[in-house]
Amino acid sequence: MNQHYEEEVNSSTAPFETYPEDEGLTGELDTQFIPILTVYEDILREIFCLVTDQPASYSNNKGPFTSLRQSSQVCSLWRKIILGSPSLWGKVIALNELNQETDYWRTEVLNRAKKSFLHIQGSFCCDSVGERFFVSLLDNHWARIRSLHVVVALNEVSASGEALCRALRVHAPYLQHFQIVTDFYIPCQFFSSGFHAFAGGAPALRYFEAPGIRISHWPRPSWLSQLRCLKFTSPFTAYELLDALSNMPSLETFGLYARVHREDGPFFQVEKAGLPTVFLPRLQDIDMKSNRPSEFIEYSAILDHIIPAGDCSLLVRSRDIDQDAGNLVPIQHALSTYCAFFSRLHKPPNLQLFVADRAFRILQSNSSSTIKFQIFFAINLLDPITPLLSLSSHVMQSVVHLILTLSDGNFGPTHPNFVKIISSLPSVRTLETRPHALQRILDRVLPGNHPTFFGSLETVKLIDIEDNFEATFLFAFLMHRKSQGLPISTIDLHIPTTPLRTLGNLSMLDSLFGLKVVWGPILVRGTGLNRPGSEESQEYICGSGNPEALNFTSTVHRGIW
């Protein structure tokens, strides 16, 4: 810590003029030349509040604490306002910025905060200065904490895990936001099945996120009913969970993490048909994560009994699934149900459909909307195409951007539902796929009298182009579209990490007058940098009289990646 900081710690209430390095700002200043000094003090306080509201830096870089401290050194007026506002200092308990070897600033920021509420944020590792500071805050200031947002790696013997256990057994009168983000689960030995978080009392709590913390269902905590966000590891049965959700009318975000506690009983203690249906009119975001095939089925049953807002987003992640027992049916049902909610309340949007070996994603295309339906797996599905049959015609007809990244074995003319899927997408204007998938489409449509696929298609973007790229099938595809009166307007050859020569000689495309060919980004061999003087990508309009521009093996492109 440098000398100036030590002086400020020891003289935090001293007049600003005592700092010799700030000479020139201590006398009377002409407000004509410094308009900021004419701003009313209450407006300045609001500005400083915005400074403290910025997210914590998860490194040692500038964050809310550093910004506030530096603001207090601008002039005597700002210093008077900031040092006279304890609540500002209570909002900058940023663990990453307060991890110095000495306790100077950790002690000083708490002194400046006086008795105001504390907002704790940041990250730390076990057995670190940050962890020791975090533990002291929980042990000594728990009743003052208004918000807690911490990213941490907890382990079986962590001091912070034990401190959390102690704190969570105590009433939290002012806590509004509780969020523990970790790649590990809070050790289960800290939280028995009868554990009552916050001793049943957290009247101000609105946001609760903590994987691994077990909340006792009975007696039901009163603070559950007031939550707007709940993300947790549930020890409840299906009936208990739905019963708890039925008493949470303000819930906007719901996350269910994989269950890891061995003592948890059967999830279904009543038949699925006997489970209640829960109406959650404000629910806009559902996030479910399972580790075992049985959990995926269990969580799918929960989805069947929740009716959310019409624009609710759905994210389901699973590390494993039993594909041999027909367990893809829950995927179909989830996609169908939640897309149907959206379809009933909204006009047909422009949708993007993404289909991969282990994922589905549907979201609004070219929009800032957060509406999306996503399902991810840690393993490749044996049949990632068939679940799409569950989507309503309304949804399929609204897809304007289709992304297919399926492997060769999962996408071919022999697949029984191949024709059904691609013929149900009449509005697709952009197709983004790998060369082999486009080849399979070509194999399917050329030999027989099949319906015209993708009647609105304008742009084809090829990704993951490899060294053995053959342009003949691409030319055949484009000629077929032209013969059908449905010419493609743009071919985008996306090759961000492969040599440009991979594309080979595409000069044959020059006969397709008006076709735009885009390629790039253009990289200089051995540098990983864009070609000097060029854009990130380049383009050529076929028929422009320079077919050699499409011959990527020629000297024109030599030395360029």
Side-chain angles (χ1 to χ4, degrees):
M1 185 179 301
N2 63 38
Q3 182 180 0
H4 169 64
Y5 289 169
E6 292 186 13
E7 289 176 355
E8 186 176 39
V9 169
N10 296 325
S11 310
S12 61
T13 59
F16 182 82
E17 291 83 351
T18 62
Y19 294 91
E21 58 267 49
D22 294 311
E23 266 186 45
L25 293 178
T26 59
E28 293 295 327
L29 298 176
D30 190 344
T31 59
Q32 177 181 353
F33 300 104
I34 309 179
I36 188 65
L37 295 179
T38 66
V39 177
Y40 293 118
E41 290 189 15
D42 55 347
I43 296 178
L44 284 173
R45 286 191 182 91
E46 290 299 320
I47 294 174
F48 297 144
C49 282
L50 295 176
V51 170
T52 64
D53 286 339
Q54 64 178 299
S57 169
Y58 288 98
S59 64
N60 292 327
N61 297 326
K62 184 176 180 179
F65 167 71
T66 303
S67 297
L68 184 66
R69 182 182 55 76
Q70 292 178 346
S71 297
S72 74
Q73 298 170 359
V74 170
C75 66
S76 58
L77 174 63
W78 286 24
R79 183 167 185 79
K80 182 187 74 171
I81 295 173
I82 292 174
L83 292 182
S85 303
S87 61
L88 293 177
W89 296 98
K91 294 175 67 177
V92 294
I93 311 300
L95 301 177
N96 297 79
E97 298 177 84
L98 293 168
N99 63 351
Q100 298 91 347
E101 293 183 5
T102 67
D103 290 331
Y104 282 118
W105 275 110
R106 289 186 287 276
T107 300
E108 179 65 12
V109 74
L110 290 174
N111 288 338
R112 293 185 182 189
K114 297 183 179 178
K115 296 183 179 181
S116 61
F117 295 126
L118 301 182
H119 300 253
I120 302 170
Q121 56 179 328
S123 63
F124 59 84
C125 298
C126 291
D127 300 321
S128 65
V129 172
E131 183 182 47
R132 290 191 289 275
F133 184 42
F134 178 69
V135 170
S136 71
L137 290 169
L138 294 183
D139 287 343
N140 301 317
H141 303 282
W142 173 251
R144 297 171 53 193
I145 296 176
R146 175 62 63 88
S147 70
L148 185 68
H149 180 185
V150 175
V151 178
V152 58
L154 297 173
N155 58 39
E156 293 289 331
V157 294
S158 79
S160 51
E162 295 176 349
L164 274 170
C165 179
R166 292 192 297 271
L168 285 169
R169 295 181 183 278
V170 180
H171 183 67
Y174 303 111
L175 186 64
Q176 294 180 344
H177 185 109
F178 183 87
Q179 185 176 13
I180 302 293
V181 181
T182 176
D183 290 334
F184 301 89
Y185 288 100
I186 296 175
C188 59
Q189 71 266 25
F190 294 156
F191 304 101
S192 63
S193 58
F195 173 75
H196 297 282
F198 310 117
L205 191 63
R206 297 295 181 269
Y207 188 110
F208 182 88
E209 177 179 355
I213 291 183
R214 302 163 55 82
I215 302 172
S216 177
H217 175 260
W218 193 260
R220 180 186 298 139
S222 59
W223 52 268
L224 271 180
S225 62
Q226 66 209 21
L227 290 181
R228 294 180 181 175
C229 174
L230 173 63
K231 295 183 178 181
F232 75 134
T233 300
S234 170
F236 303 165
T237 66
Y239 184 90
E240 289 171 341
L241 180 58
L242 290 169
D243 182 51
L245 291 174
S246 69
N247 288 277
M248 303 173 66
S250 300
L251 193 64
E252 298 172 356
T253 300
F254 176 54
L256 196 58
Y257 296 112
R259 299 198 298 168
V260 297
H261 304 296
R262 296 179 180 178
E263 63 268 33
D264 288 337
F267 190 68
F268 296 112
Q269 294 185 352
V270 298
E271 293 296 327
K272 295 180 184 180
L275 296 176
T277 296
V278 179
F279 293 86
L280 297 170
R282 296 187 179 183
L283 186 59
Q284 296 184 331
D285 188 13
I286 298 176
D287 182 355
M288 292 188 169
K289 182 178 180 179
S290 64
N291 285 336
R292 301 184 297 273
S294 60
E295 283 182 333
F296 183 79
I297 297 175
E298 292 168 357
Y299 293 171
S300 298
I302 293 296
L303 290 174
D304 287 345
H305 290 81
I306 294 177
I307 300 180
D311 55 355
C312 182
S313 297
L314 172 65
L315 171 59
V316 178
R317 293 169 288 178
S318 180
R319 296 181 63 181
D320 197 5
I321 183 171
D322 183 1
Q323 303 188 59
D324 297 327
N327 288 318
L328 290 181
V329 173
I331 306 177
Q332 295 176 266
H333 196 75
L335 282 172
S336 176
T337 299
Y338 283 83
C339 286
F341 289 150
F342 175 80
S343 301
R344 286 199 298 266
L345 297 179
H346 298 271
K347 295 179 180 179
N350 293 330
L351 296 179
Q352 180 191 94
L353 172 61
F354 171 88
V355 185
D357 293 319
R358 58 182 67 182
F360 306 95
R361 182 173 66 237
I362 303 173
L363 66 157
Q364 283 191 289
S365 180
N366 300 322
S367 171
S368 59
S369 172
T370 58
I371 299 170
K372 52 193 170 187
F373 313 92
Q374 303 180 91
I375 298 181
F376 293 96
F377 298 92
I379 58 173
N380 288 353
L381 297 178
L382 298 177
D383 181 8
I385 293 179
T386 299
L388 297 177
L389 295 175
S390 64
L391 299 179
S392 68
S393 59
H394 175 92
V395 170
M396 298 297 274
Q397 291 173 10
S398 299
V399 174
V400 297
H401 187 172
L402 176 63
I403 303 175
L404 295 176
T405 62
L406 297 170
S407 59
D408 201 9
N410 272 331
F411 194 80
T414 59
H415 192 287
N417 292 312
F418 180 88
V419 175
K420 290 182 181 180
I421 294 299
I422 61 175
S423 63
S424 64
L425 297 165
S427 304
V428 171
R429 297 196 292 269
T430 300
L431 172 63
E432 187 173 335
T433 190
R434 294 167 175 163
H436 73 80
L438 190 63
Q439 177 73 63
R440 297 299 177 268
I441 294 174
L442 183 65
D443 292 343
R444 188 60 169 167
V445 300
L446 283 184
N449 297 318
H450 295 289
T452 300
F453 300 126
F454 307 133
S456 303
L457 189 61
E458 300 172 351
T459 300
V460 174
K461 182 175 182 178
L462 294 183
I463 59 177
D464 298 337
I465 299 174
E466 299 177 351
D467 287 340
N468 57 355
F469 177 70
E470 292 287 344
T472 52
F473 85 89
L474 178 59
F475 184 73
F477 175 80
L478 295 171
M479 289 298 295
H480 173 75
R481 296 287 302 190
K482 184 177 181 180
S483 68
Q484 296 291 313
L486 299 169
I488 300 299
S489 61
T490 303
I491 289 291
D492 188 344
L493 305 170
H494 189 66
I495 51 170
T497 59
T498 54
L500 192 60
R501 64 177 182 273
T502 298
L503 296 176
N505 186 355
L506 302 183
S507 57
M508 67 181 74
L509 301 181
D510 195 53
S511 62
L512 297 167
F513 294 97
L515 174 69
K516 179 193 291 187
V517 181
V518 181
W519 64 91
I522 306 303
L523 304 178
V524 179
R525 180 188 300 274
T527 68
L529 301 174
N530 283 351
R531 181 179 182 178
S534 73
E535 299 296 331
E536 183 178 357
S537 60
Q538 293 187 351
E539 63 180 53
Y540 174 76
I541 305 299
C542 294
S544 298
N546 184 24
E548 196 65 11
L550 297 178
N551 182 4
F552 297 101
T553 63
S554 70
T555 56
V556 174
H557 301 286
R558 183 171 297 170
I560 304 300
W561 275 50

